[in-house]
Coordinates of all heavy atoms in Angstrom, one line a residue:
K1 N 46.0 -21.3 -204.5 CA 47.1 -20.9 -205.4 C 48.3 -20.4 -204.6 O 48.1 -19.5 -203.8 CB 46.6 -19.9 -206.4 CG 47.6 -19.7 -207.5 CD 47.1 -18.7 -208.5 CE 46.1 -19.4 -209.5 NZ 45.9 -18.6 -210.7
N2 N 49.4 -21.0 -204.8 CA 50.6 -20.5 -204.1 C 50.9 -19.1 -204.5 O 51.1 -18.8 -205.7 CB 51.8 -21.4 -204.4 CG 53.0 -21.1 -203.6 OD1 53.3 -20.0 -203.3 ND2 53.8 -22.2 -203.3
P3 N 51.0 -18.1 -203.5 CA 51.2 -16.7 -203.9 C 52.6 -16.5 -204.4 O 52.9 -15.4 -205.0 CB 51.0 -16.0 -202.6 CG 51.2 -17.0 -201.5 CD 50.8 -18.3 -202.1
F4 N 53.6 -17.4 -204.2 CA 54.9 -17.2 -204.7 C 55.2 -17.7 -206.1 O 56.1 -17.2 -206.8 CB 55.9 -17.8 -203.7 CG 55.8 -17.3 -202.3 CD1 55.2 -18.0 -201.3 CD2 56.3 -16.0 -202.0 CE1 55.1 -17.5 -200.0 CE2 56.2 -15.5 -200.7 CZ 55.6 -16.3 -199.8
N5 N 54.4 -18.7 -206.5 CA 54.7 -19.3 -207.9 C 53.4 -19.5 -208.7 O 53.4 -20.1 -209.8 CB 55.5 -20.5 -207.8 CG 54.8 -21.6 -207.0 OD1 53.6 -21.6 -206.9 ND2 55.6 -22.6 -206.6
D6 N 52.2 -19.1 -208.2 CA 50.9 -19.2 -208.9 C 50.5 -20.6 -209.2 O 49.7 -20.8 -210.1 CB 50.9 -18.3 -210.1 CG 50.7 -16.9 -209.8 OD1 50.2 -16.6 -208.7 OD2 51.1 -16.0 -210.6
R7 N 51.1 -21.6 -208.6 CA 50.8 -23.0 -208.9 C 49.8 -23.5 -207.8 O 49.7 -23.0 -206.7 CB 52.0 -23.9 -208.9 CG 52.9 -23.5 -210.1 CD 54.0 -24.4 -210.6 NE 54.2 -25.6 -209.8 CZ 55.4 -25.8 -209.2 NH1 56.4 -25.0 -209.3 NH2 55.6 -26.9 -208.5
E8 N 49.1 -24.6 -208.2 CA 48.1 -25.2 -207.2 C 48.8 -25.7 -206.0 O 49.8 -26.4 -206.1 CB 47.3 -26.3 -207.9 CG 46.3 -26.9 -207.1 CD 45.5 -28.0 -207.8 OE1 46.1 -29.1 -208.0 OE2 44.4 -27.8 -208.2
M9 N 48.2 -25.5 -204.8 CA 48.7 -26.1 -203.6 C 47.5 -26.4 -202.7 O 46.3 -26.1 -203.0 CB 49.6 -25.1 -202.9 CG 48.9 -23.8 -202.4 SD 49.9 -22.7 -201.5 CE 49.5 -23.3 -199.8
F10 N 47.8 -27.2 -201.7 CA 46.7 -27.6 -200.7 C 47.2 -27.2 -199.3 O 48.4 -27.1 -199.1 CB 46.5 -29.1 -200.8 CG 46.1 -29.6 -202.1 CD1 47.0 -30.1 -203.0 CD2 44.7 -29.6 -202.5 CE1 46.6 -30.5 -204.3 CE2 44.3 -30.0 -203.7 CZ 45.3 -30.5 -204.6
W11 N 46.2 -26.9 -198.5 CA 46.5 -26.4 -197.2 C 45.4 -26.8 -196.2 O 44.3 -27.1 -196.6 CB 46.8 -24.9 -197.2 CG 45.5 -24.1 -197.6 CD1 45.1 -23.8 -198.8 CD2 44.6 -23.5 -196.7 NE1 44.0 -23.1 -198.8 CE2 43.6 -22.9 -197.5 CE3 44.4 -23.5 -195.3 CZ2 42.5 -22.2 -197.0 CZ3 43.3 -22.8 -194.8 CH2 42.4 -22.2 -195.6
N12 N 45.8 -26.7 -194.9 CA 44.8 -26.8 -193.8 C 45.4 -26.3 -192.5 O 46.6 -25.9 -192.6 CB 44.3 -28.3 -193.6 CG 42.9 -28.4 -193.1 OD1 42.5 -27.5 -192.4 ND2 42.3 -29.5 -193.3
F13 N 44.7 -26.3 -191.5 CA 45.2 -25.8 -190.2 C 44.5 -26.5 -189.1 O 43.5 -27.2 -189.2 CB 45.0 -24.3 -190.1 CG 43.6 -23.9 -189.9 CD1 43.0 -23.7 -188.6 CD2 42.7 -23.8 -191.0 CE1 41.7 -23.4 -188.5 CE2 41.4 -23.4 -190.8 CZ 40.9 -23.2 -189.6
N14 N 45.1 -26.4 -187.9 CA 44.3 -26.7 -186.7 C 44.9 -26.0 -185.5 O 45.9 -25.4 -185.5 CB 44.3 -28.3 -186.4 CG 45.6 -28.9 -186.1 OD1 46.5 -28.2 -185.5 ND2 45.8 -30.1 -186.4
V15 N 44.1 -26.0 -184.4 CA 44.5 -25.3 -183.1 C 44.4 -26.4 -182.1 O 43.4 -27.1 -182.0 CB 43.6 -24.1 -182.8 CG1 44.0 -23.5 -181.5 CG2 43.7 -23.1 -184.0
L16 N 45.4 -26.5 -181.2 CA 45.5 -27.6 -180.2 C 45.8 -26.9 -178.9 O 46.8 -26.2 -178.8 CB 46.5 -28.6 -180.6 CG 46.8 -29.7 -179.6 CD1 45.6 -30.6 -179.5 CD2 48.0 -30.5 -180.1
H17 N 45.1 -27.3 -177.8 CA 45.4 -26.8 -176.5 C 45.8 -28.0 -175.6 O 45.2 -29.1 -175.7 CB 44.1 -26.2 -175.9 CG 44.3 -25.8 -174.4 ND1 43.9 -26.6 -173.4 CD2 44.7 -24.6 -173.9 CE1 44.2 -26.0 -172.3 NE2 44.7 -24.8 -172.5
N18 N 46.9 -27.8 -174.9 CA 47.4 -28.8 -173.9 C 47.7 -28.1 -172.6 O 48.2 -27.0 -172.5 CB 48.7 -29.4 -174.4 CG 48.4 -30.5 -175.4 OD1 47.6 -31.4 -175.2 ND2 49.2 -30.5 -176.5
F19 N 47.3 -28.9 -171.5 CA 47.8 -28.5 -170.2 C 49.2 -29.1 -170.0 O 49.4 -30.3 -170.4 CB 46.9 -29.0 -169.1 CG 45.6 -28.3 -169.0 CD1 44.4 -29.0 -169.5 CD2 45.5 -27.0 -168.6 CE1 43.2 -28.4 -169.5 CE2 44.2 -26.4 -168.6 CZ 43.1 -27.0 -169.0
V20 N 50.2 -28.3 -169.6 CA 51.6 -28.8 -169.4 C 52.0 -28.5 -168.0 O 51.3 -27.7 -167.3 CB 52.5 -28.2 -170.5 CG1 52.1 -28.7 -171.9 CG2 52.5 -26.7 -170.4
G21 N 53.2 -29.0 -167.6 CA 53.6 -28.8 -166.2 C 53.7 -27.4 -165.8 O 53.4 -27.1 -164.6
F22 N 54.1 -26.4 -166.6 CA 54.2 -25.0 -166.3 C 53.0 -24.2 -166.5 O 52.9 -23.0 -166.2 CB 55.4 -24.4 -166.9 CG 55.4 -24.5 -168.4 CD1 54.6 -23.7 -169.2 CD2 56.2 -25.4 -169.1 CE1 54.5 -23.7 -170.6 CE2 56.1 -25.5 -170.5 CZ 55.3 -24.7 -171.2
G23 N 51.9 -24.8 -167.1 CA 50.7 -24.0 -167.4 C 50.0 -24.6 -168.6 O 49.5 -25.7 -168.6
T24 N 50.0 -23.9 -169.7 CA 49.3 -24.3 -170.9 C 50.1 -24.0 -172.2 O 51.0 -23.2 -172.2 CB 47.9 -23.7 -171.1 OG1 48.1 -22.3 -171.3 CG2 47.0 -23.9 -169.9
T25 N 49.7 -24.7 -173.3 CA 50.2 -24.3 -174.6 C 49.1 -24.4 -175.5 O 48.2 -25.3 -175.5 CB 51.4 -25.2 -175.0 OG1 51.8 -24.8 -176.4 CG2 51.0 -26.7 -175.1
I26 N 49.0 -23.4 -176.4 CA 48.1 -23.4 -177.5 C 48.9 -23.4 -178.8 O 49.6 -22.4 -179.0 CB 47.1 -22.2 -177.5 CG1 46.3 -22.3 -176.2 CG2 46.2 -22.2 -178.7 CD1 45.4 -21.1 -176.0
D27 N 48.8 -24.5 -179.6 CA 49.6 -24.6 -180.8 C 48.7 -24.3 -182.0 O 47.6 -24.9 -182.1 CB 50.2 -26.0 -180.9 CG 51.2 -26.3 -179.8 OD1 51.8 -25.3 -179.3 OD2 51.5 -27.5 -179.6
V28 N 49.2 -23.5 -182.9 CA 48.5 -23.2 -184.1 C 49.3 -23.8 -185.2 O 50.5 -23.5 -185.4 CB 48.3 -21.7 -184.4 CG1 47.5 -21.4 -185.7 CG2 47.6 -21.1 -183.2
M29 N 48.7 -24.8 -186.0 CA 49.5 -25.6 -187.0 C 48.9 -25.3 -188.4 O 47.7 -25.3 -188.5 CB 49.4 -27.1 -186.6 CG 49.9 -27.4 -185.2 SD 49.5 -29.1 -184.8 CE 49.2 -28.8 -183.1
F30 N 49.8 -25.2 -189.3 CA 49.5 -25.1 -190.7 C 50.1 -26.2 -191.5 O 51.3 -26.5 -191.3 CB 49.9 -23.7 -191.2 CG 49.3 -22.5 -190.5 CD1 49.9 -21.9 -189.4 CD2 48.1 -22.1 -190.9 CE1 49.4 -20.9 -188.8 CE2 47.5 -21.0 -190.2 CZ 48.1 -20.4 -189.2

């Protein structure tokens, strides 16, 4: 339930790790 308007919503997330030229990145996506 959307906390701002009390209507139905859908959601998910993921976490992604990449090695990059300067080191690493960990992305958290919603």
Side-chain angles (χ1 to χ4, degrees):
K1 189 178 278 195
N2 186 323
F4 300 104
N5 61 21
D6 282 338
R7 295 194 354 241
E8 181 179 76
M9 62 175 271
F10 299 95
W11 63 276
N12 208 335
F13 70 94
N14 69 30
V15 178
L16 176 67
H17 175 267
N18 277 315
F19 291 107
V20 295
F22 56 77
T24 64
T25 179
I26 298 174
D27 295 337
V28 181
M29 301 170 220
F30 298 95

